[in-house]
Each structure stands twice: as C-alpha cells, then as structure tokens.
Amino acid sequence: MPQNHTHSHAHGHAHSQAHAHNHAHQHDHQDLADILDLDAEVLHEHLTEVMAWVHEQTGDVATVLDLGAGTGAGTLALARRFPGATVTAVDVSPQMLQYLRHKAHAAGLADRIRTVEADLDGADSTGADGTKAADADLVWAANSLHHLADPVASLARIRGAIRPGGHLVAFEMDAFPRFLPGDELETRCHEAVTAMRAGDMPHLGADWGPLLRAAGFTVQAQRRFEIDLEPPLPEATGRYAQTSLRRLRQGLEGKLSPEDLTALEALAEVVPTRPDLTVQARRTAWIATP
Ligand SMILES: C[S@@+](CC[C@H](N)C(=O)[O-])C[C@H]1O[C@@H](n2cnc3c(N)ncnc32)[C@H](O)[C@@H]1O
C-alpha cells in the first residue's frame, strides 16, 4: 500500500511530536491494510462462498454500499458477484480509500466502484457526498460495525439508506483468527486481547441479531462460517500469521509478562515455518431487511 505522507518537515518540539504521532499512525495503518489484504488472499475462497450465499438471498441488485470497506476485499468481491451493480465503498480513512481505488483500477472494476469518505458514527454516514440516502439495494458491512461507538444508532441511520426490498448484511468475526491450535502462548495472547476489547470494543463478537432488531431491522437469515485451513495452505498464510502476531504484540505492551512478550516476538519470526500452522476463524453473517 502506498504511504501517504501528508506531513512535510518537523519544526520545533510540538511539530516533532505530531510528526512522530503521524508516523506511528501511518505505520499502524499500513499494518492494518496489510492484514486486511492478506486476510482477503488467504480466505479468498471463503469470501466467495459468503458472497454466493448473499446472492442467493438477495438476487441481483443495482446499487451496493460497502460500509467500513478498508482495503476493499468485500468491495471487489461484491463487484464481481454482482456484475450489474455499482458499489460505493465508505470508510473513515482516506488512505484506505486511496488504496482501494488503486485496487479497483488494477482489477479493471474502477468504472463500477466509487469511494466516499465518511464517519459511520456521524449523522451523515451514508449520504456524505450528497448520495441520496435511499439508494442502496444491498448494504454490506464486514468487521466494521464493532468499531462503531453506538452501532444501534448507526444501524438505524443505515436502515434509512436501504431501498424497499433491499437488504443489509452484517458480517462479523467471532474472535481474531488463531494459527497454532493448542499453543498456550497464543491462548494467553487471545485472552489478554479479549479482556482489552471488552473495554474498548464491547461489540466485537456480539450477537448482532438483537442489535439489528433494536435498530428496526428484521433478521431474515443467519449463517456461521467456520474456517479451518489445514496444509496445503495458501501461499500467503505464513505472512498472514506473522503480520497478525506482530500486530497482536504491539497491542499487548504491558498486558502480558515481559517473558511472554519476548516469546511472542520470537514466535512471530518463526511462525511461517511452523509445521503445525493452520488458520481457524469463525465468522457470522446476518441478512436483514429494513
Ligand atoms: C477491520 S477493518 C474491515 C475492512 C473490510 N470491511 C474487510 O472486511 O476487509 C474495519 C474498517 O472500518 C473502518 N472504520 C472504523 N470505524 C469507522 C467509522 N466510524 N466510520 C467509517 N469507517 C470506519 C476502518 O477504517 C477500517 O477500514
């Protein structure tokens, strides 16, 4: 992903701090973008299966909104699954959207994909650039709803952006993927992350059925996708596991013992070559109507 260096030179202390912060932020951003791309590559077949299931439920559609689109894994899969549709990718991050546009071009899909920078926590979340709200036949939100401050309030606004007869798909991970079943260090890391997320991201792993109903939706179908990748693994799996464990490590400073943190760093280095490497992921999709 191309780095987007918006800052130029640091002059003086305050500026330097902003500069450092910006750098940290951009690295964080880069890591997330890398993981989203690797996730899309490693779980490609599974996303295709999810899209096929969505298509069975909705039939063909003309307009799609991808909310919290990130690097566009879902956007591109939607554009391919619904060849007659235009897909609008919405994200709060301009860097993600810039990268998504590159990918849409590279995939030859740019004529049907557009991007809108908007904060889904805000009141204008789906109509940010003047898009008529009641415009989408299908709204797809993958692993983005749990980031929202008040998902029910946002979902209620999103509901108003869906045409009569249209659908919303919420697709959420139950937990972060696991790579080494039975590995005690990985288990401790996940427990620490779960404890942290319970405070700052309380809707991660939630049952979205009741939340969708609270926002006025009717849930039409729910399906759990269990992913257990065993060898032979997709080529990118080692990098996916490594990048994920490194990112996990960054977030766990002070939350694990120093010994565990050091061991986690070492594990991230060798994980691509571990013979017991697998991918276990649990994700659930809810299809709802307004
Ligand atoms: C975990 S990523 C998922 C990306 C993509 N849907 C996928 O499945 O690969 C979450 C995305 O939601 C975006 N996001 C988080 N909070 C948001 C908000 N308040 N408004 C819009 N986008 C948001 C982030 O910038 C990020 O790109």
Side-chain angles (χ1 to χ4, degrees):
M1 168 174 182
Q3 293 268 1
N4 183 11
H5 289 277
T6 49
H7 55 280
S8 49
H9 299 286
H11 301 291
H13 186 65
H15 238 110
S16 295
Q17 278 186 340
H19 184 94
H21 174 80
N22 225 339
H23 258 299
H25 184 72
Q26 284 178 0
H27 282 302
D28 188 54
H29 213 95
Q30 180 74 56
D31 286 350
L32 177 60
D34 287 348
I35 289 180
L36 294 178
D37 273 357
L38 288 163
D39 187 278
E41 196 176 333
V42 171
L43 305 181
H44 174 76
E45 276 180 30
H46 134 87
L47 189 57
T48 307
E49 186 192 344
V50 179
M51 288 299 171
W53 181 68
V54 171
H55 185 238
E56 271 169 32
Q57 312 282 320
T58 64
D60 287 333
V61 299
T63 48
V64 181
L65 272 180
D66 180 2
L67 300 181
T71 61
T75 313
L76 296 186
L78 287 159
R80 291 190 175 109
R81 184 70 252 185
F82 297 93
T86 53
V87 185
T88 302
V90 178
D91 205 285
V92 73
S93 156
Q95 290 96 334
M96 290 288 185
L97 293 176
Q98 188 189 22
Y99 182 51
L100 192 156
R101 286 192 293 272
H102 278 284
K103 286 192 14 184
H105 262 287
L109 293 167
D111 57 331
R112 290 196 292 119
I113 291 177
R114 59 185 206 117
T115 57
V116 172
E117 186 184 327
D119 183 348
L120 295 170
D121 284 327
D124 64 347
S125 46
T126 51
D129 70 342
T131 327
K132 206 50 229 110
D135 210 13
D137 299 308
L138 172 60
V139 175
W140 164 266
N143 291 318
S144 51
L145 295 176
H146 67 254
H147 286 276
L148 303 183
D150 184 349
V152 172
S154 292
L155 281 167
R157 282 194 298 271
I158 291 163
R159 194 164 63 86
I162 302 177
R163 283 183 180 158
H167 295 81
L168 171 118
V169 181
F171 187 53
E172 284 279 321
M173 62 170 108
D174 297 9
F176 291 105
R178 287 209 51 157
F179 300 104
L180 302 164
D183 184 279
E184 290 179 7
L185 175 60
E186 197 189 24
T187 302
R188 284 199 294 283
C189 291
H190 280 261
E191 285 167 358
V193 169
T194 303
M196 265 164 41
R197 293 290 96 97
D200 66 6
M201 231 178 240
H203 294 101
L204 181 64
D207 177 358
W208 286 85
L211 295 169
L212 286 163
R213 283 189 278 274
F217 282 95
T218 304
V219 177
Q220 303 291 350
Q222 174 179 346
R223 181 164 160 193
R224 191 158 193 248
F225 293 85
E226 306 216 349
I227 303 145
D228 288 294
L229 300 186
E230 305 279 347
L233 297 166
E235 186 271 326
T237 309
R239 276 181 293 132
Y240 179 48
Q242 184 166 65
T243 313
S244 301
L245 291 182
R246 282 185 181 149
R247 190 172 162 84
L248 205 60
R249 161 71 186 85
Q250 282 167 21
L252 286 173
E253 194 70 53
K255 305 288 177 189
L256 280 184
S257 70
E259 295 75 26
D260 271 357
L261 289 175
T262 307
L264 181 55
E265 279 161 28
L267 181 61
E269 288 313 303
V270 301
V271 75
T273 59
R274 282 274 294 246
D276 53 345
L277 178 63
T278 60
V279 181
Q280 288 190 348
R282 305 282 174 266
R283 293 180 186 182
T284 304
W286 290 261
I287 297 197
T289 46

